[in-house]
Amino acid sequence: AKVPRLHGHGCPKVGFVGWRGMVGSVLMQRMEAEGDFDGRFNAHFFSTSGAGKPGPTICKGDARTETGPLGDATNVDALMAMDVIVTCQGGDYTTELHPKLRHLGWSGYWIDAASTLRMTDNAVIVLDPVNKNLIDKALADGVKDFIGGNCTVSLMLMGLGGLFKKGWVEWISTMTYQAASGAGAKNMRELVKQMRAIGNVPDKLVDDDTSILELDSIVSKMLVEPGKLPTAEFGTALAGSLIPWIDKPMPNGQTKEEWKGGVEANKILGAGSLIPIDGQCVRIGAMRCHSQAVTIKLKHDVPLDEIAKAIAEHNEWVRFVPNNKPDTLAQLTPAAVTGSLTIPVGRLRKMTLGPEYLTAFTVGDQLLWGAAEPLRRQLIIVLEHMRRT
């Protein structure tokens, strides 16, 4: 049977750019799962390389629906016709197209996964379970640029938002354990290739009767000798190792990923006074999901049960994990969280440093709450605002 064309005359026109990449694909998956292509807007799909080719079919109700030929994502006139543009195309695209559109007077809503505009004065970093009040105020004030936040920042705020809402946090140090997927699809593939190379040692070496030192020696050499493992993407071995450096260096010794932790979190929170947030960001050999070990200095001593209650009740996606080994292994790992919107927080305890010092561990899927989900929800918020006004 012929697939019907998507209709939506009179509906807002929403343009999607970068919808085939990693974040964009997850965004489309989530929108279909939530029934977002329900006729409240007219979807237009653009491409930087495949203009004119057939666009995707999308799930509308129980049927797959054609979306027509792909538009040219660099055609300013076509983009100007959109009421909303949702882009996961990356920072270079934003840098090139966003100023052109604004200079030409385009007054539509720009919803973006890239970091380019996050810290500009006229943009809001969106994470509505945490800062819906700021988003609503920005819409009322005529703000048109809404940007997804850094993945680890968003995941940390989703997990610990209850503590910030209570005003208990004096400062936070967060040590991240970030998955290969945070660096991109090519990096994920390289990690698997590295794993495969390491796992290709002779079977006799993994036999319990063989000297472990021989196996250790062979694997250790593979990790450091040039040409033993593919390293074109990471620059070094990640499988069987880790990389304590993510993104560009900053003048103060931080990496840019570490710098984002403080500046972006404070902007999302709209904190009246700066909350110091700093730490070290580390790439680990997980495929998907970022983890964080946090040290929190509270402004005053708060009973642990009250802290757990504030965390658990902040939003419907956070899950408090009791501080015991079985629950930790079952719920507080990247493997347990991959593909889920759940944000578990566990290993919660007071530190021996003093009653105002708290430690916890949290995990989240950075392709969902760390990237695609805030954009999806922001589109719905914008469409509802347009409907009301």
Side-chain angles (χ1 to χ4, degrees):
K2 186 177 180 180
V3 180
R5 288 291 301 276
L6 178 67
H7 295 289
H9 300 295
C11 294
K13 296 179 180 179
V14 179
F16 293 92
V17 185
W19 50 274
R20 287 183 293 194
M22 186 178 298
V23 174
S25 296
V26 174
L27 175 62
M28 294 298 105
Q29 186 180 65
R30 284 290 301 138
M31 291 187 69
E32 289 193 326
E34 295 295 330
D36 294 336
F37 295 108
D38 58 1
R40 79 184 84 178
F41 62 90
N42 195 351
H44 298 257
F45 290 86
F46 293 84
S47 172
T48 57
S49 59
K53 295 180 180 178
T57 60
I58 56 177
C59 184
K60 186 181 180 186
D62 296 328
R64 304 296 302 180
T65 305
E66 287 183 355
T67 56
L70 294 171
D72 182 352
T74 63
N75 184 328
V76 174
D77 290 335
L79 296 174
M80 290 279 289
M82 298 297 107
D83 298 296
V84 183
I85 294 173
V86 181
T87 172
C88 303
Q89 186 64 34
D92 291 343
Y93 180 81
T94 298
T95 300
E96 179 183 357
L97 270 299
H98 181 269
K100 287 183 181 179
L101 291 170
R102 294 302 188 207
H103 179 73
L104 291 171
W106 181 67
S107 60
Y109 294 93
W110 180 274
I111 301 174
D112 195 347
S115 64
T116 309
L117 301 176
R118 284 178 193 158
M119 297 309 297
T120 59
D121 292 338
N122 59 345
V124 173
I125 303 177
V126 296
L127 190 64
D128 69 277
V130 175
N131 69 344
K132 181 63 159 51
N133 59 326
L134 296 182
I135 293 170
D136 289 342
K137 182 178 186 304
L139 286 167
D141 291 344
V143 173
K144 296 296 180 74
D145 294 338
F146 295 92
I147 317 301
N150 172 266
C151 46
T152 50
V153 172
S154 295
L155 295 172
M156 184 264 290
L157 293 177
M158 285 293 294
L160 302 176
L163 305 186
F164 290 101
K165 187 175 181 178
K166 291 285 189 180
W168 291 341
V169 177
E170 182 175 326
W171 55 256
I172 286 186
S173 176
T174 176
M175 305 298 173
T176 73
Y177 308 86
Q178 298 182 221
S181 53
K186 291 182 179 180
N187 297 71
M188 294 176 73
R189 293 188 179 98
E190 183 169 275
L191 173 59
V192 172
K193 291 175 183 177
Q194 290 183 1
M195 291 175 173
R196 183 170 59 192
I198 293 171
N200 198 33
V201 297
D203 289 343
K204 67 176 184 178
L205 292 178
V206 294
D207 190 287
D208 288 343
D209 294 330
T210 304
S211 170
I212 191 60
L213 294 181
E214 185 178 358
L215 174 61
D216 176 60
S217 176
I218 290 175
V219 172
S220 296
K221 288 179 181 178
M222 292 179 68
L223 297 179
V224 296
E225 290 184 1
K228 294 292 185 180
L229 298 178
T231 58
E233 302 302 325
F234 287 114
T236 189
L238 180 61
S241 188
L242 56 77
I243 304 172
W245 189 282
I246 299 176
D247 214 330
K248 302 172 183 177
M250 300 292 287
N252 65 351
Q254 290 177 306
T255 65
K256 192 171 184 180
E257 187 80 354
E258 293 155 2
W259 171 81
K260 291 174 184 177
V263 296
E264 290 192 23
N266 277 278
K267 184 169 184 178
I268 291 169
L269 292 168
S273 57
L274 182 72
I275 300 174
I277 300 173
D278 200 356
Q280 299 230 7
C281 294
V282 180
R283 187 77 66 196
I284 63 166
M287 284 291 285
R288 184 164 161 173
C289 292
H290 293 345
S291 307
Q292 300 179 66
V294 296
T295 298
I296 304 166
K297 172 64 166 63
L298 301 173
K299 293 179 180 177
H300 55 83
D301 186 14
V302 180
L304 201 59
D305 59 343
E306 291 185 28
I307 293 170
K309 186 172 185 289
I311 290 172
E313 293 181 352
H314 179 258
N315 62 73
E316 63 182 274
W317 299 276
V318 69
R319 176 194 297 158
F320 179 73
V321 179
N323 188 21
N324 62 65
K325 185 175 181 179
D327 286 320
T328 296
L329 296 186
Q331 302 179 53
L332 200 59
T333 66
V337 176
T338 292
S340 168
L341 291 168
T342 300
I343 308 289
V345 179
R347 297 306 326 278
L348 183 72
R349 63 177 177 84
K350 293 294 185 74
M351 302 182 75
T352 58
L353 300 175
E356 298 88 12
Y357 292 87
L358 186 71
T359 185
F361 193 89
T362 183
V363 188
D365 190 322
Q366 92 285 355
L367 292 176
L368 288 169
W369 275 118
E373 191 65 9
L375 302 185
R376 185 193 76 80
R377 293 172 64 87
Q378 184 60 31
L379 173 59
I380 304 305
I381 291 170
V382 164
L383 292 171
E384 178 60 23
H385 173 77
M386 294 173 67
R387 187 191 65 79
R388 293 196 309 267
T389 57

